[in-house]
Amino acid sequence: ELKVEQNPLFLSMQEGKNYTIYCNYSTTSDRLYWYRQDPGKSLESLFVLLSNGAVKQEGRLMASLDTKARLSTLHITAAVHDLSATYFCAVGGRGTSGSRLTFGEGTQLTVNP
Amino acid sequence: GAGVSQSPSNKVTEKGKDVELRCDPISGHTALYWYRQSLGQGLEFLIYFQGNSAPDKSGLPSDRFSAERTGGSVSTLTIQRTQQEDSAVYLCASSWALGDTQYFGPGTRLTVL
């Protein structure tokens, strides 16, 4: 059974600081996703990572994937208040089960002025 | 273009009643997914459709839950004889094809009294 763990689950940081959210998963997977969720809203797709060593960047967020370590990171650079949200990583299984996503618990990020 | 839409946005029902939740995927998306999000369980996969077929129903919590998709488009998730533990936000997502990035709708918040 595929398990996905994120840490930290809660992160409070000041504007301008850097931090990293970690996502570990238990079995080999073809793809890893990062989503953002604002309170009371749905999930917004941020990144999809498909291969070992993949790195994607959008604004102050950068995601990377190490399939050998079964680890993805979401790095936040010079945080701003607008980044406050809950961030989920999600892993697709292999083969036909690849269509179902298994989500981490989510990291609730609060960026304080 | 239009995103995934779901209706109703909120549904309050009494224990034992049946409910139907509707999802309209992004036009042209062949794959459709249902998840639910609750405080205790996080984000859980329920079922996915490829066209009108549901190859993987293993995520449905019990036989009170069923889903169908018609015309390769709209999907309905039905919960019979609702229980309080069914209270959650039910999220629908769609993708161009199986394994592609899933785009989520706003969700239906179900409250069972």
Side-chain angles (χ1 to χ4, degrees):
Chain A
E1 179 189 351
L2 175 59
K3 294 187 179 178
V4 182
E5 293 183 347
Q6 286 182 238
N7 73 85
L9 299 184
F10 298 93
L11 177 56
S12 180
M13 56 192 298
Q14 287 188 312
E15 281 192 329
K17 298 293 187 182
N18 303 333
Y19 210 85
T20 300
I21 299 170
Y22 297 87
C23 174
N24 290 89
Y25 54 98
S26 61
T27 62
T28 305
S29 171
D30 288 339
R31 60 204 70 219
L32 186 136
Y33 303 86
W34 284 96
Y35 286 88
R36 167 181 171 146
Q37 186 175 39
D38 291 288
K41 304 291 185 182
S42 191
L43 296 160
E44 174 191 352
S45 175
L46 295 175
F47 302 108
V48 54
L49 302 166
L50 301 177
S51 60
N52 187 41
V55 176
K56 292 199 174 175
Q57 183 164 6
E58 181 73 32
R60 301 174 187 274
L61 300 178
M62 183 174 70
S64 65
L65 179 62
D66 180 343
T67 58
K68 293 179 181 177
R70 297 176 187 161
L71 171 70
S72 180
T73 61
L74 181 66
H75 187 72
I76 304 155
T77 302
V80 293
H81 180 69
D82 285 352
L83 289 179
S84 297
T86 299
Y87 293 85
F88 290 92
C89 65
V91 178
R94 306 207 75 181
T96 56
S97 66
S99 303
R100 59 189 296 175
L101 295 181
T102 301
F103 284 83
E105 306 97 321
T107 297
Q108 187 174 319
L109 171 66
T110 303
V111 181
N112 303 303
Chain B
V4 178
S5 61
Q6 293 185 246
S7 61
S9 55
N10 279 285
K11 176 71 176 179
V12 180
T13 190
E14 292 180 347
K15 178 181 172 182
K17 300 283 189 183
D18 298 351
V19 296
E20 282 190 354
L21 312 179
R22 177 188 168 107
C23 172
D24 281 271
I26 294 171
S27 179
H29 280 196
T30 62
L32 185 147
Y33 314 79
W34 285 97
Y35 295 85
R36 75 175 175 182
Q37 186 174 27
S38 59
L39 279 177
Q41 302 298 321
L43 273 154
E44 303 173 273
F45 167 83
L46 297 178
I47 189 171
Y48 82 85
F49 289 88
Q50 171 60 30
N52 294 332
S53 300
D56 185 358
K57 301 180 182 179
S58 62
L60 295 175
S62 76
D63 58 8
R64 296 185 295 104
F65 287 72
S66 63
E68 64 175 12
R69 189 180 185 196
T70 55
S73 182
V74 172
S75 177
T76 303
L77 178 69
T78 302
I79 309 173
Q80 295 178 309
R81 306 181 302 280
T82 52
Q83 304 293 312
Q84 288 182 332
E85 60 263 29
D86 299 336
S87 296
V89 176
Y90 289 81
L91 293 166
C92 175
S94 69
S95 64
W96 282 110
L98 290 178
D100 287 346
T101 298
Q102 297 178 23
Y103 296 92
F104 284 79
T108 294
R109 180 175 296 278
L110 175 65
T111 303
V112 182
L113 302 176

